[in-house]
Amino acid sequence: MLEAFPPQLWNRSTAAHLLKRAGFGTSPEQLDLWTSLGLDTAVDRLVDWELTEDPTAEPDWAQPAFGYPFQNKKELQGLSEDERRELFKEYQKTQRKNSQDLRERWLNRFLTTPRPLQEKLTLFWHGHFATSIRKVKISYFMWKQLDLFRRFGNGSYENLLMEVARDPAMLIWLDGTDSNDKAPNENFARELMELFTLGEGHYTEEDVKESARAFTGWRVDRFSQTATFNPKRSDRGSKKFLGQRGSFNDQDIIRIILQQEQAAQHICTKLWTFFAYENPSPQLMEALAATFRESKMELKPLLKKLFRSQEFYSAQALNNQIKSPVQWWVSSLKNIASHSPATHLGTRILTQLGQSLLEPPSVKGWDGGRTWISTSTLMLRHNTAHYMLYGGTAAELGIGDNFKRLAFANQAKKINPEPTTVAPNTEMEEQPTPEPTTKLANKLLNRSMPALTELAQLAPPELRLDRSKLINTLSERFLQNIPDPKLSAFLENSLPQKSEPVTDQELKKLLYQIMTRPEYQLT
Amino acid sequence: MKTRRQFLQTSVMGAAASWTLPTFLNSTIFQLDSMAADSLTQSVNGKDGPILIVLQMGGGNDGLNTLVPYSDDAYYRARTSLAIAKKSVLPINDRFGMNPQLSELKSLYDAGNLAILNGVGYPNPNRSHFRSMEIWQTASESNINERYGWLGRYFDNSCQGAPPTIGVNIGSLPPQAFLGPQPLGIALANANRYKFTDSSTDSSLTMMANEDPSTFSGNNSGSSIDNLGSVASPLQDGMTNTDFLQRTALDAELSSKDIQAITSKVKSPITYPKNRLASDLQLIAQLIAGGLPTRIYYANQGGYDTHANQTGTHNNLMHEFSSALAAFVSDLKEQGNFDRVLIMTFSEFGRRLKENASNGTDHGVAGPMFLLGGKIKAGVHSDYPSLSDLDNGDLKHQVDFRSVYATVLENWLQTKSDPILRKSFPKLAFI
């Protein structure tokens, strides 16, 4: 098991598979380059991403307390209730703007990063630690957590967990900030074991209670926007945890968790499912876990083992993973040679497709696989493909709902004059800010947006003369595969039989056929 | 309204005489050629078939401020800032009454359209949102992870051969409750956009008509490296991913045609309040009026996770809940369909008796369920749980929610509940 994939089988097809899974797919030109590197070098280059220059700039607001209206408690108390509320409202507005900025920057980064695995893995950790801005509220904290994943995502698993335990977004998300020695909150301790490291059945309720005590003392200081440790709020007493006894702190608890046999198995299974395929055999996972333990739970050797294994290139893995909405969107933009990253539209479509960035649906993250697909989301994938090729309106894509909901929210307020606190589950965009009217909503909904595809780049004139070459080229680009004879025949049938070059209209129709194939939903 | 089968026969069979059936269709819908399936499809489509509407109150609704135990001092002691004053409660009996925001629901109770179940829950309760929601949606024991939903198992058991619209979820992703060995049921966020931008070329049916069944095994993947790992595309729930995707596309196409046909001609005569739940229920009413052959509708109202500053949020939700349901019921009565409908509400858990330090409440255990319908046996069907005999600070459950499901399956949907719930549960008297 986990034998190295034979180098003589490395070709454009296998390289494409690696780049799709360890990244978001690639252009034909880039694919030639990756293929020429050979398997080992290609994997090294992906995993050792620090060696690749990344010029991506960070947003200017990505620093602690940026724009926060108060320096300290005294300043806050010096203001009247109304003044305070006004300033907070203004601050929240900025946060909504920044959170959208962060989403769009990230979406653009998926598309342009010179370190594809870094972003793919950051998306994995985002789904694994599943922290949502709905509760965290402050964009800087979300940015900081993603930055943490970028910096520690391929390093020591232990370090990653220790960083996460003291990460401000996590402290807010799983109530560490509300926890102290007198009333330890169990939320983080429970999810740490149940979801992040061990899985249900590998710890007891008592272990949850005891370890919750060890995480006390850490809070997020609202003025400096940093995680701070207050020894007075921390429980230094003796704890009994997973069969050991001592005055454990948070780091001790993480070390003890990682001593459990199950810890390696748990994370290996999650990574394998994300990168290779669902329901791997327990034997395979034990083999992978064994190598992970041998390498002292360093992630780089694990990732290299995974991407070089025969099983990763087996029929069970190839072209059989249902694309996540992010994967579908980003690889589609690459496939159609989009002239724009279309990030604003993209974030909204992702929400409709069930993968709202920065807002995983629960602490469990996204289930993935077939749960991405419903009649609605599949229809929207088809309609989005249509929009990419032909252009269209927001209404057709169903992404103008926010405007309508906003209008609802405003009217609802009039019906019920109770003071409204924001329910934790309401989307940030839904909070009534300006005054959207149905008229404005309709205008925005029906504004026509241009197509994204660059047809000239996809199919230069000479290619349009040779129908089967055109189909093979496009199939390889879109499906990363030369289609079988049946699919080829089907695609050829969708082009009119004549000797003139294929027109733009015919080309769009052909591309739409390809992008609405079931095979196109797989990667 | 055409069934999937009729549709295939008339539209596709007619168009492509040489068409051979894709394998997955062969193994699912067209096994219906047996007469049993035929009669089932008939009964599913019957105009008089019963309809169940499941309304999920996501986040853990505070049952204690929904149905208020106003005669119990323990309630007022435990909730010094959140308690609802005795004088504003809408009394149901001398023990408890409704939240004042539920005035329209109270009218439905007075009209004999509402049954109340207090203290519904399950043994060994779990206080995690998603785990408890999973337990409710899969109807499993709390220590067992069950993959399929209880409605998915109902579709599988009792609705073989039904059209995809047998189950309709309002929202773009179906709940786990719908998940079954065969995909059945559609997800619909907004009727206006539940259609293909290009309906002329995007025909899954046309595509299939041009293809040979062998290409539908989902095996055209990985052909370039087929000398390795000879495992064929793995089956999950008895179908490959390609089959699953093709099947969903087909369901989308058929249901979209049906739904567009209905929403373009049926308009509701009732004015609904302007909120999300109301517009979702209005859509359901429209689809019922249009005769969509649906047995189960599923709707969701979120936002009940009121850990802090609960009062305003919860009151708004209660008002939304009550006014939306009232409009919906009037609509159904107007249509003459109220007798065919059973509305069942639930939340994944109630909240703790004692309020927390942030003017909110934390995750609890048992909570109330409401059942509304023209044929319901109105009234209070289980007593209010004791506020002194608590389990770790939480109300003890006295009705297992699976008893409610069993009653609904047997006495409303007219099907055996044991194979679906994997166990026998005592039936209740509300139907």
Side-chain angles (χ1 to χ4, degrees):
Chain A
M1 259 180 278
L2 297 173
E3 296 294 318
F5 183 70
Q8 67 272 23
L9 294 175
W10 176 255
N11 56 28
R12 275 175 69 86
S13 234
T14 36
H17 172 66
L18 176 63
L19 268 292
K20 287 185 293 179
R21 297 296 178 85
F24 301 91
T26 186
S27 68
E29 304 74 44
Q30 287 284 313
L31 185 56
D32 288 334
L33 199 88
W34 284 100
T35 312
S36 70
L37 292 178
L39 171 63
D40 279 355
T41 314
V43 169
D44 283 345
R45 187 169 292 190
L46 286 164
V47 176
D48 301 324
W49 62 59
E50 304 82 355
L51 303 175
T52 307
E53 204 58 40
D54 181 4
T56 315
E58 301 297 351
D60 59 355
W61 51 259
Q63 39 184 305
F66 187 83
Y68 193 72
F70 317 103
Q71 305 264 330
N72 51 47
K73 215 168 178 168
K74 219 170 142 194
E75 239 180 75
L76 182 67
Q77 284 164 343
L79 297 168
S80 74
E81 182 71 25
D82 281 353
E83 286 169 321
R84 254 182 271 171
R85 190 175 300 148
E86 205 48 47
L87 284 168
F88 270 123
K89 236 168 87 182
E90 204 49 44
Y91 182 65
Q92 277 180 351
K93 223 167 103 185
T94 323
Q95 290 310 309
R96 283 197 290 276
K97 206 177 97 225
N98 293 350
S99 67
Q100 179 58 20
D101 184 44
L102 181 57
R103 280 189 193 93
E104 295 191 29
R105 281 169 183 269
W106 198 14
L107 200 48
N108 193 42
R109 205 160 174 169
F110 291 139
L111 202 60
T112 57
T113 176
R115 303 169 171 182
L117 180 59
Q118 187 182 32
E119 287 318 304
K120 191 68 174 270
L121 205 54
T122 298
L123 183 60
F124 169 82
W125 293 123
H126 177 49
H128 184 72
F129 293 109
T131 305
S132 170
I133 194 159
R134 288 186 186 203
K135 183 163 172 183
V136 174
K137 298 263 167 55
I138 294 172
S139 307
Y140 162 67
F141 292 148
M142 294 306 293
W143 172 86
K144 191 174 159 63
Q145 195 183 67
L146 295 181
D147 188 57
L148 189 167
F149 296 153
R150 282 191 193 105
R151 289 186 296 125
F152 292 88
N154 64 352
S156 139
Y157 183 44
E158 184 179 288
N159 286 351
L160 173 68
L161 289 167
M162 286 181 179
E163 289 289 326
V164 166
R166 297 176 181 183
D167 172 59
M170 183 56 81
L171 286 167
I172 297 171
W173 174 237
L174 293 180
D175 301 321
T177 45
D178 293 336
S179 188
N180 60 57
D181 55 328
K182 304 227 167 42
N185 188 301
E186 296 166 10
N187 216 354
F188 178 74
R190 181 184 308 278
E191 305 309 4
L192 174 67
M193 285 183 276
E194 179 182 338
L195 296 167
F196 305 158
T197 61
L198 295 174
E200 247 181 305
H202 298 276
Y203 56 89
T204 64
E205 275 302 298
E206 216 35 49
D207 292 324
V208 172
K209 287 202 165 66
E210 291 287 287
S211 56
R213 294 169 51 212
F215 289 101
T216 54
W218 285 93
R219 307 184 74 180
V220 179
D221 182 79
R222 59 199 295 203
F223 299 105
S224 66
Q225 293 192 345
T226 51
T228 56
F229 182 70
N230 180 352
K232 284 190 200 136
R233 286 169 61 94
S234 84
D235 182 338
R236 322 280 279 284
S238 173
K239 292 129 195 150
K240 188 166 173 287
F241 180 65
L242 291 171
Q244 305 188 31
R245 181 172 279 288
S247 307
F248 303 132
N249 70 3
D250 56 345
Q251 306 210 327
D252 299 324
I253 294 293
I254 288 170
R255 260 180 233 119
I256 295 170
I257 288 176
L258 294 186
Q259 288 163 11
Q260 310 300 306
E261 281 286 297
Q262 173 62 17
Q265 184 108 0
H266 183 81
I267 193 64
C268 284
T269 307
K270 281 204 78 170
L271 284 162
W272 187 270
T273 304
F274 183 80
F275 286 110
Y277 52 80
E278 291 175 63
N279 304 316
S281 72
Q283 295 84 341
L284 183 66
M285 286 307 97
E286 192 32 58
L288 195 63
T291 69
F292 191 39
R293 287 183 209 114
E294 266 163 43
S295 64
K296 306 268 184 295
M297 297 207 162
E298 286 289 332
L299 287 154
K300 278 185 180 184
L302 171 68
L303 292 164
K304 289 183 181 178
K305 188 88 179 172
L306 191 161
F307 292 127
R308 284 175 183 149
S309 72
Q310 266 199 38
E311 285 83 357
F312 179 73
Y313 299 91
S314 67
Q316 201 168 351
L318 293 169
N319 298 312
N320 197 32
Q321 182 181 61
I322 294 185
K323 287 176 184 165
S324 70
V326 169
Q327 189 82 17
W328 186 92
W329 170 261
V330 176
S331 62
S332 292
L333 287 182
K334 291 185 180 193
N335 292 339
I336 62 162
S338 175
H339 57 74
S340 155
T343 50
H344 184 74
L345 185 73
T347 56
R348 278 164 169 75
I349 286 181
L350 288 181
T351 300
Q352 299 297 327
L353 289 176
Q355 195 175 22
S356 193
L357 289 176
L358 312 184
E359 289 173 82
S362 77
V363 67
K364 204 172 52 156
W366 291 284
D367 288 334
R370 289 188 186 176
T371 65
W372 292 126
I373 302 295
S374 73
T375 53
S376 261
T377 58
L378 189 56
M379 205 180 274
L380 181 56
R381 286 183 184 208
H382 288 205
N383 289 347
T384 307
H386 194 271
Y387 157 74
M388 286 176 168
L389 301 167
Y390 292 89
T393 66
E396 280 164 0
L397 297 172
I399 51 168
D401 270 17
N402 281 336
F403 308 122
K404 288 215 162 140
R405 256 182 263 157
L406 224 50
F408 272 165
N410 276 352
Q411 289 182 44
K413 257 200 334 202
K414 279 175 213 145
I415 294 167
N416 195 343
E418 279 287 334
T420 320
T421 49
V422 178
N425 281 352
T426 8
E427 274 177 45
M428 299 196 95
E429 275 97 320
E430 282 177 50
Q431 291 164 25
T433 24
E435 285 178 21
T437 61
T438 313
K439 216 168 133 193
L440 177 65
N442 283 335
K443 200 177 136 198
L444 290 168
L445 278 168
N446 295 309
R447 186 181 51 185
S448 83
M449 305 177 291
L452 294 175
T453 185
E454 203 71 80
L455 291 178
Q457 198 182 324
L458 277 181
E462 65 279 7
L463 191 59
R464 297 190 190 209
L465 283 164
D466 183 343
R467 283 170 153 63
S468 39
K469 196 170 166 212
L470 176 70
I471 284 172
N472 280 348
T473 307
L474 292 176
S475 297
E476 205 200 9
R477 185 181 180 110
F478 283 76
L479 303 167
Q480 266 92 26
N481 229 335
I482 304 296
D484 64 37
K486 299 246 165 57
L487 181 54
S488 273
F490 169 72
L491 293 174
E492 229 162 304
N493 277 338
S494 73
L495 289 174
Q497 299 304 313
K498 54 177 177 113
S499 52
E500 290 88 64
V502 172
T503 66
D504 278 0
Q505 278 309 313
E506 289 158 1
L507 191 59
K508 284 192 237 177
K509 194 177 156 203
L510 175 70
L511 293 175
Y512 185 64
Q513 296 284 13
I514 294 176
M515 292 178 83
T516 53
R517 295 285 311 176
E519 294 88 339
Y520 188 71
Q521 307 306 330
L522 300 173
T523 194
Chain B
M1 198 54 45
K2 283 175 180 155
T3 64
R4 179 207 300 261
R5 184 162 165 268
Q6 288 164 333
F7 184 91
L8 287 168
Q9 279 178 336
T10 53
S11 325
V12 178
M13 301 290 247
S18 64
W19 185 44
T20 5
L21 282 168
T23 42
F24 78 91
L25 281 180
N26 244 336
S27 62
T28 55
I29 309 156
F30 279 78
Q31 69 194 184
L32 295 193
D33 266 340
S34 61
M35 53 305 116
D38 232 342
S39 63
L40 235 171
T41 314
Q42 287 305 316
S43 72
V44 165
N45 286 317
K47 253 309 234 179
D48 52 351
I51 295 169
L52 172 68
I53 291 153
V54 179
L55 173 50
Q56 175 177 303
M57 302 162 88
N61 175 36
D62 182 13
L64 285 148
N65 274 16
T66 303
L67 297 176
V68 184
Y70 67 89
S71 59
D72 202 325
D73 284 343
Y75 168 73
Y76 291 96
R77 280 196 304 272
R79 295 196 164 193
T80 45
S81 76
L82 293 184
I84 294 172
K86 189 171 177 170
K87 61 176 181 346
S88 56
V89 170
L90 313 170
I92 295 290
N93 58 28
D94 55 15
R95 179 131 164 70
F96 73 95
M98 285 185 179
N99 180 309
Q101 297 291 333
L102 297 175
S103 56
E104 285 160 297
L105 196 68
K106 175 68 165 46
S107 308
L108 291 171
Y109 178 81
D110 294 338
N113 298 145
L114 174 69
I116 292 173
L117 294 171
N118 286 300
V120 190
Y122 55 90
N124 306 313
N126 194 303
R127 287 175 183 80
S128 140
H129 286 291
F130 61 88
R131 182 59 199 134
S132 194
M133 192 54 102
E134 246 170 34
I135 291 165
W136 275 85
Q137 294 206 8
T138 59
S140 69
E141 300 290 334
S142 76
N143 59 352
I144 291 175
N145 280 304
E146 163 76 50
R147 179 167 154 72
Y148 298 137
W150 73 286
L151 295 168
R153 298 199 299 268
Y154 161 71
F155 296 145
D156 191 52
N157 248 276
S158 317
C159 310
Q160 285 285 336
T165 49
I166 185 79
V168 175
N169 175 62
I170 309 297
S172 61
L173 289 167
Q176 190 180 14
F178 273 26
L179 190 66
Q182 296 287 329
L184 259 181
I186 63 159
L188 165 72
N190 174 323
N192 288 329
R193 67 160 188 264
Y194 194 70
K195 61 184 174 210
F196 291 98
T197 311
D198 180 350
S199 52
S200 59
T201 54
D202 183 62
S203 174
S204 314
L205 294 172
T206 334
M207 276 198 244
M208 284 190 293
N210 284 304
E211 288 186 33
D212 185 282
S214 60
T215 60
F216 272 87
S217 61
N219 243 341
N220 44 7
S221 57
S223 48
S224 56
I225 328 172
D226 50 12
N227 50 342
L228 252 188
S230 56
V231 204
S233 288
L235 295 175
Q236 199 187 324
D237 299 334
M239 38 168 58
T240 64
N241 277 336
T242 321
D243 288 349
F244 165 79
L245 286 157
Q246 187 75 62
R247 165 82 182 254
T248 309
L250 180 69
D251 284 354
E253 192 157 322
L254 296 181
S255 60
S256 146
K257 288 191 165 91
D258 289 350
I259 282 159
Q260 291 310 314
I262 289 174
T263 51
S264 65
K265 65 169 198 269
V266 182
K267 297 284 173 254
S268 147
I270 302 285
T271 309
Y272 280 73
K274 299 282 181 204
N275 62 58
R276 180 72 179 275
L277 177 63
S279 71
D280 288 352
L281 292 177
Q282 184 171 19
L283 173 59
I284 294 176
Q286 222 178 342
L287 298 176
I288 291 174
L292 199 68
T294 303
R295 276 283 170 86
I296 315 287
Y297 289 97
Y298 204 100
N300 180 31
Q301 183 198 23
Y304 281 100
D305 196 18
T306 48
H307 284 284
N309 305 320
Q310 171 174 311
T311 302
T313 310
H314 192 252
N315 280 348
N316 281 347
L317 289 165
M318 288 282 102
H319 178 79
E320 193 176 299
F321 176 79
S322 168
S323 59
L325 272 173
F328 182 55
V329 167
S330 321
D331 199 349
L332 292 171
K333 284 180 175 169
E334 189 97 349
Q335 291 175 17
N337 277 325
F338 192 49
D339 282 355
R340 290 176 63 204
V341 169
L342 176 67
I343 305 161
M344 179 180 91
T345 76
F346 80 96
S347 191
E348 70 267 40
F349 42 62
R351 303 190 82 82
R352 300 189 75 104
L353 171 60
K354 190 157 173 44
E355 66 189 23
N356 64 23
S358 341
N359 294 324
T361 50
D362 296 325
H363 304 178
V365 178
M369 285 179 83
F370 294 120
L371 294 126
L372 294 103
K375 290 265 176 73
I376 203 85
K377 284 185 191 129
V380 180
H381 289 264
S382 63
D383 291 338
Y384 210 94
S386 161
L387 301 197
S388 48
D389 179 21
L390 298 173
D391 177 8
N392 192 17
D394 281 318
L395 306 183
K396 285 182 179 166
H397 84 275
Q398 40 207 15
V399 177
D400 191 309
F401 71 94
R402 290 165 298 180
S403 263
V404 184
Y405 289 1
T407 312
V408 169
L409 288 165
E410 300 259 347
N411 297 351
W412 186 250
L413 296 171
Q414 310 289 335
T415 191
K416 286 224 175 324
S417 65
D418 302 18
I420 294 167
L421 301 176
R422 310 260 158 87
K423 214 172 133 181
S424 189
F425 291 92
K427 313 301 170 283
L428 304 167
F430 58 83
I431 310 170

